[in-house]
Amino acid sequence: MSYETMRAAWLANHREQKINMATLFKYYKPLCSSIRFTSPFTIPPFRYAPNRTRPPRTVPVTGKRRQFFSFFSSLTSSLPVLNENNSGPTSGDGAASPPSELWLYNTMTRKKELFKSKLDGKVGMYVCGVTAYDLSHIGHARVYVTFDVLYRYLRHLGYDVSYVRNFTDVDDKIIARANEVGEDPISLSRRYCEEFHQDMVSLHCLPPSVEPRVSDHMPQIVDMINKILDNGCAYRIDGDVYFSVDKFPQYGRLSGRKLEDNRAGERIAVDTRKRNPADFALWKSAKEGEPSWQSPWGPGRPGWHIECSAMSAAYLGHSFDIHGGGMDLVFPHHENEIAQSCAACGDSNISYWVHNGFVTVDSEKMSKSLGNFFTIRQTLYDCENVIGEQDAGSEDSAIPPDTMNCIVKFNDLFAASMSDDLHTPVVLAAISDPLKIINDMLHTRKGKKQAKRIESLSGLGKIVQKVLTILGLMPTTYSEVLQQLKEKALRRAKLTEDQVIQKIHERTEARKNKDYEKSDAIRKELSSVGIALMDNPDGTTWRPAVPLALQELEIGTP
């Protein structure tokens, strides 16, 4: 097999994986974060003017046990109500409540802290982006969904947010992958950056205000390394530049690691040229066949850690509000960022270090959450259809007290949970209350006879829709989502819609003949491949569902 043939096969295989992942992302976004999630739109970036008067924090922090995500689930949800201009939640009398406070867990201080921005009404947030050498995976989705929700919620609270998320397009992994496939490293990383953008669109993540790339910021990187050298915190060896951790006594305060721990067990081969095994590269001298840039120390390229310090300083200054990323970046990446940033600028100060955890799913939670995913979208679709058939009246005062109490209770829980470190699992559990009321009014005899039924459906539907919008879960239309889900379900089941309809006819005939064994067998057969049958007075319809095998699949963590 020729090289070109092998390369084409490799790319085709990855493209198929990419298509599957994009489909997964589009409908399974809510799983990817303990925080949650509307269509992307662009906001104008602002230049963040840093406040340089606050000293850096010095409180040490311990790391958390890393957990791994074994599979996917879909925990879609909807949440509470806001007034029409989205300025804040509404109380029972329709008056707008004051904006919620926001408490965030700060990895640096090991506790939840009341969020207060350095500049009134403005927030600077930097999130470490992907190293663009391969297609994105569900772990990446978790990170960027998490910070997309934080971005959205800060804006909901009225902040003007400058959100910077970088691309690492110069790195050892990129060079290695480029050599494997015979492609220029910069070209390869650019291609995977575009793939990542498509994934973010599929996830309905808003674009950041600025999205810098390492290859476009060599002058800023070189300038920062020069400052670190001038301040005596780095040294040169044969064209390489290393940061000297011994020159930064506070090294380890974010992760809680001690220098002696690093010496005891290095994860990489010891470079005998280094003064301390924990010292890390700021600049790497050029090697044959690798991309390189000119510097005062000769041609080469930056180390991994220095790039984020340089780019965050370029767009947000040395002092800003939030620096985020996955838990796996606490050490060494973020630890090294703090050291080199402080070494370059004594006023460097980041108020909140925020790290998302890793997704873990057990079989019980998975089956329930997947069921909830489909139940919510079906329910909302039916609710929209019923409301559209009649005039809802749409005045809050027309909503019955029982329904209004549910709205207010749900709204209060939403505000309290989101302000508590964006504690969305509580909200996701509470969504069952308004959904139960909606389902009763749509499908039970008693619910259909309830006074002011349409007004209640309208009020409850608005709550769900507004919170879906705030969290980025609002589809263009429910019917569009359901149609796409149905098409995906048919492909997965390897059936056509005509074949499903034929099965429904066979089951209907079996029920007429009181052949309930055959009727149950047909239902179970379709359910096993993700086709759920819905019986109602007008006949039987079908909806996409989770295949039984997937519901029963046991998922654990290593």
Side-chain angles (χ1 to χ4, degrees), residues 135-172:
L135 298 170
S136 299
H137 54 69
I138 203 73
H140 295 138
R142 169 65 183 267
V143 177
Y144 303 114
V145 166
T146 293
F147 288 98
D148 178 65
V149 176
L150 179 55
Y151 179 34
R152 290 169 181 274
Y153 195 67
L154 286 167
R155 289 177 43 172
H156 163 64
L157 294 179
Y159 290 104
D160 185 2
V161 185
S162 182
Y163 175 17
V164 182
R165 185 184 69 207
N166 75 295
F167 274 120
T168 295
D169 62 350
V170 179
D171 183 80
D172 292 341

Side-chain angles (χ1 to χ4, degrees), residues 29 36-39 41 79-83 86-89 148-157 204 206 411 414 418 462-474:
K29 171 178 180 177
R36 268 9 70 173
F37 344 89
T38 205
S39 302
F41 61 95
L79 315 161
V81 69
L82 310 169
N83 58 18
N86 280 350
S87 62
D148 178 65
V149 176
L150 179 55
Y151 179 34
R152 290 169 181 274
Y153 195 67
L154 286 167
R155 289 177 43 172
H156 163 64
L157 294 179
H204 291 180
L206 297 177
N411 182 71
F414 168 72
M418 292 300 287
K462 284 181 180 179
I463 296 177
V464 173
Q465 291 174 8
K466 291 195 178 202
V467 175
L468 284 174
T469 299
I470 293 170
L471 300 182
L473 289 169
M474 188 66 182

Side-chain angles (χ1 to χ4, degrees), residues 125-137:
M125 180 170 74
Y126 185 91
V127 175
C128 292
V130 295
T131 298
Y133 72 98
D134 203 344
L135 298 170
S136 299
H137 54 69

Side-chain angles (χ1 to χ4, degrees), residues 254-265:
L254 181 70
S255 63
R257 292 172 66 113
K258 300 178 181 179
L259 280 179
E260 51 265 34
D261 296 335
N262 297 331
R263 293 190 182 100

